[in-house]
Amino acid sequence: MPTRRIDLNLFRVLDAIHVHGGISAAARALHLTQPAVTHSLNRLREHFGDPLFVRQGNRVVPTERTLRVIGDVQQHLRGLQASVQRELPFVPGALEMSFTIGCRDVLESIALPPLVRRLAEKAPGVRLVSRRVTAGELERDLLAGTLDLAVDRRQRVGTRIASEAVIDEPLVVAMRRDHPLAKYPLRRPDYLAASHVAVSPQGEPAALDVLLHQDGRDRDVRLTCQHYFAACQVVAASDLLLTLPAGYAQSLAAMLPLVVQALPLKLKPVPIHAYWSAARTDEAGHAWLRGEIMAAIRAASVALPGGR
């Protein structure tokens, strides 16, 4: 049977709709009109005999047929882009792309301000999207192309995911400036005897409390919050203590009446890694951007002495 011919540009439309979650957003990313994108999508639907995307609220979500082909489509598109880029000198200022980063609110707060300043100077055509990603979805989203880079604690990933250590983030303790324990270096007995705020998005015991309990010790946790910022606001107006990553603690101490002290427990710093699809390692734009992101995180992180 003769091969059915198809305009390869249509696959750029498929990729853009999948990445941006809608026809209007895809049109903006491709610098096309919305009717032009809709026309291309209709041609793809006719070719595949499938709707490819269905509306769900304010977004369109891919059908099973799209999910089966999108990985190959994105791999080949990026391979073509990489081939062209290898023949041209790389100029960050000429980049026109959207880049989606998966990270927690802590890293978002300390890394995005300096990163946005750097990109405004070096690559003003880059658009960033920061979103939260769960550990179980990290590898799938990186391979599907819905996520360009993830920065998180150490994750178990397969061979198709590349990674690099970014920082080792120590934990510290925040308390209000006039807290009785703020007058001298925090000691272990005082820390364990104090009342605490814990942070856990799902309300489960915090990792630190699990470790302490395994060692036969427990903290008096009076409040569990979803986010560190809310917890810091509580701490600034109470006698509760908050244990949190050092970089974020220093950032919030500049805005709230807080004192930051070293955690008086012998715990290893939390290793933070960057993860991305190994197929994109040699893409010039991707390599440059992930380097900028990791540099911003490293520059914003604060290395404080360990606990006593």
Side-chain angles (χ1 to χ4, degrees), residues 39-81:
H39 177 67
S40 296
L41 177 58
N42 287 336
R43 290 175 62 190
L44 283 166
R45 284 169 166 165
E46 182 180 355
H47 177 84
F48 284 103
D50 186 88
L52 299 178
F53 296 95
V54 293
R55 182 157 295 281
Q56 189 176 92
N58 295 325
R59 293 176 58 84
V60 294
V61 297
T63 64
E64 288 297 322
R65 185 65 182 273
T66 299
L67 292 175
R68 286 200 301 270
V69 303
I70 194 65
D72 286 338
V73 168
Q74 292 175 330
Q75 181 178 353
H76 288 299
L77 285 175
R78 287 166 183 152
L80 290 170
Q81 290 167 349

Side-chain angles (χ1 to χ4, degrees), residues 80 93 157 196 220 229 277:
L80 290 170
V157 293
H196 298 261
D220 178 18
F229 186 74
S277 170

